[in-house]
Amino acid sequence: MTAPNQPPPDGVPFGEALRVWLRVAALSFGGPAGQIAVMQRILVDEKRWITQRRFLHALNYCMLLPGPEAQQLATYIGWLLHRTLGGLVAGTLFVLPGFVAILALSVLYAGFGELAIVGALFYGLKAAVLAIVVQALLRIGRRALDGRTKVAIAAAAFVAIFFLDVPFPWIIVGAAVIGFARSRLRAHGGVGSAETEDADDSEQATRRPPSWRRSLRVVVVWLAVWWTPVAVLWLALGDQHVFVREGLFFSQAAVVTFGGAYSVLAYIAQRAVLDFGWLSPGEMLDGLGMAETTPGPLIQVVQFVGFLGAYRNPGSLSPMTAGILGSIVTTWVTFVPCFLWIFLGAPYIEWLRGRRALSEALSAITAAVVGVILNLAVWFALHTLFAEVNEVRGAIGRLWLPSWDSLDLGSLLITAGSFLLLFRFRFGMLATLASAVAAGVLWTLVAGLV
């Protein structure tokens, strides 16, 4: 499944890349904004393994795909560096820490019922994550919004999704159309040309399209990897077994999760809570809290849903064993499709990389995504700092209004302290997270004593 027309960059030993992907995985807190910023800082600014332009080009494509864009970006860059093996390692390591953490928390949640100790640890962590997301948003915005048109696109995207509740896919389509139209107007107006090439020779996009045989091979192999476990479970257990129902449901969710975790959580929650009865609405929020405060993609919350669904419908297995297996099945069908999208599409995106029309469309999409990430940052801030947030709908839009008497003073203080550590004193991410965790535990203990 190696693309012969796009050789990997020289000078990046696989062992060194492996260590860097482990580092990226360990630092992948803060949702997609924070995770993309970590890769930006390490891979572009520090290691200089990929240029800013190529990083944004890959990010633009990943934003178009269903599934977690940060994990797919890691897979894409791993593929650029070391082809299929590099993509597999980067994408798998990106998910692995979050999988282990949420599995352990799911076992604790199901076995002991209460998360008082874990809640004390995560209380401060969630507040620090808010500061990290804002820092990431500013970093990405500075690089992606390099003109008034892109700033306007980002602002329009924020208004559309936050106030007007426009579905994310329509925002992406609208931004792509604007970017493409802008490129054609510039070309007909004599500004630039229909195609452009990067100045660096190492950035030149190949003119030979990927082989259709390779593409067909990728599709066949990865569809088999994706669906074979589900088919085996179906034949062995029947279509009503919880493992099979989870495999089918989360496979379906994997192809409609455009816009990241928040865009699909309402759909997953409705089906998992109301239709399947796997968990309660409050438990769904607990799972989201786990995903928000552990490394890895936010969509990893589905692992918790799969665990509880199987734990409560174990069949002939013990509940804990069934929960663990349900967690594995859910994670498998959620993330395996991501490798298919990247290994199939990335060679074509690289082939088209020099075309101005594509570059303009993708850069407009990135600008729109900045507005979408701002929406997530505001949503996250409201739900971190306030215990009660109400959605008020009007004739043409909606508004999220916090209940001011539900302000969480501890979260506010820890968030403010995290902002100071990051922006004023230039603390690193790990030091900021550790300080916030310690402050959260201390605040919880003092509040309990009072």
Side-chain angles (χ1 to χ4, degrees):
M1 289 181 288
T2 299
N5 50 28
Q6 185 70 22
D10 297 327
V12 181
F14 184 80
E16 183 179 356
L18 177 62
R19 290 190 292 272
V20 168
W21 289 122
L22 286 168
R23 179 182 169 196
V24 169
L27 294 174
S28 59
F29 291 90
Q35 293 155 0
I36 292 168
V38 167
M39 285 186 276
Q40 162 79 42
R41 188 177 71 230
I42 295 176
L43 301 174
V44 179
D45 300 335
E46 178 183 326
K47 295 295 184 180
R48 300 184 184 277
W49 286 349
I50 182 172
T51 65
Q52 179 69 62
R53 180 178 294 181
R54 205 164 187 183
F55 180 87
L56 288 176
H57 186 81
L59 174 61
N60 293 336
Y61 171 61
C62 294
M63 291 295 185
L64 293 174
L65 299 174
E69 60 269 29
Q71 188 258 355
Q72 290 172 146
L73 178 61
T75 305
Y76 193 123
I77 297 175
W79 174 81
L80 281 177
L81 296 176
H82 297 101
R83 290 299 168 260
T84 300
L85 179 60
L88 282 172
V89 168
T92 302
L93 287 179
F94 196 88
V95 173
L96 191 59
F99 171 79
V100 173
I102 290 183
L103 181 59
L105 291 173
S106 299
V107 170
L108 180 63
Y109 191 98
F112 298 95
E114 298 294 333
L115 281 174
I117 297 176
V118 177
L121 293 173
F122 284 172
Y123 180 78
L125 189 61
K126 183 180 295 188
V129 166
L130 173 57
I132 291 170
V133 168
V134 172
Q135 183 191 50
L137 176 66
L138 293 175
R139 286 178 173 175
I140 295 172
R142 280 196 296 266
R143 291 175 169 88
L145 306 182
D146 56 359
R148 287 179 294 179
T149 300
K150 292 180 182 178
V151 172
I153 292 173
F158 173 77
V159 171
I161 196 168
F162 188 83
F163 294 106
L164 304 179
D165 198 20
V166 176
F168 180 82
W170 288 113
I171 293 174
I172 292 298
V173 170
V177 169
I178 292 172
F180 181 81
R182 184 167 177 257
S183 74
R184 303 313 298 171
L185 288 173
R186 293 177 65 183
H188 291 306
V191 181
S193 62
E195 294 186 358
T196 186
E197 298 291 346
D198 295 339
D200 188 351
D201 288 341
S202 66
E203 290 283 313
Q204 297 300 315
T206 177
R207 290 303 176 203
R208 288 193 297 120
S211 165
W212 69 267
R213 292 183 178 85
R214 176 203 175 272
S215 299
L216 180 60
R217 187 166 64 249
V218 169
V219 170
V220 171
V221 169
W222 283 99
L223 283 178
V225 173
W226 178 1
W227 284 105
T228 296
V230 179
V232 170
L233 290 171
W234 191 331
L235 292 173
L237 303 172
D239 61 353
Q240 294 304 306
H241 195 280
V242 66
F243 294 156
V244 178
R245 299 183 79 185
E246 289 181 343
L248 293 174
F249 171 63
F250 288 110
S251 290
Q252 176 188 356
V255 300
V256 299
T257 53
F258 294 95
Y262 287 108
S263 64
V264 79
L265 278 179
Y267 167 71
I268 291 177
Q270 180 181 15
R271 294 294 309 277
V273 174
L274 300 179
D275 297 345
F276 296 115
W278 288 335
L279 74 173
S280 69
E283 289 170 335
M284 187 70 193
L285 291 176
D286 289 339
L288 180 58
M290 292 181 191
E292 286 173 336
T293 49
T294 52
L298 290 179
I299 198 62
Q300 195 79 41
V301 66
V302 301
Q303 177 190 347
F304 175 72
V305 177
F307 180 95
L308 284 187
Y311 180 86
R312 288 166 178 165
N313 301 276
S316 59
L317 300 173
S318 71
M320 198 62 71
T321 300
I324 293 172
L325 292 176
S327 183
I328 293 171
V329 169
T330 300
T331 301
W332 183 269
V333 299
T334 297
F335 291 102
V336 166
C338 298
F339 294 104
L340 170 60
W341 314 143
I342 296 300
F343 294 149
L344 177 63
Y348 290 95
I349 295 301
E350 287 298 300
W351 171 54
L352 295 169
R353 181 159 46 86
R355 277 64 169 182
R356 176 178 291 279
L358 177 67
S359 297
E360 290 280 3
L362 292 180
S363 63
I365 290 170
T366 300
V369 168
V370 172
V372 174
I373 295 175
L374 175 59
N375 160 71
L376 298 184
V378 173
W379 188 94
F380 189 57
L382 290 172
H383 288 79
T384 297
L385 300 177
F386 296 91
E388 182 180 345
V389 181
N390 301 307
E391 181 184 12
V392 179
R393 288 194 172 270
I396 60 171
R398 67 175 182 186
L399 189 63
W400 295 98
L401 295 177
S403 175
W404 290 99
D405 57 1
S406 70
L407 176 66
D408 189 327
L409 180 59
S411 291
L412 178 63
L413 292 175
I414 297 171
T415 299
S418 299
F419 271 97
L420 284 175
L421 293 180
L422 282 174
F423 292 95
R424 176 67 177 85
F425 299 107
R426 307 295 182 184
F427 272 41
M429 182 184 298
L430 284 181
T432 301
L433 290 171
S435 301
V437 167
V441 172
L442 180 61
W443 180 272
T444 303
L445 290 175
V446 171
L449 292 175
V450 174

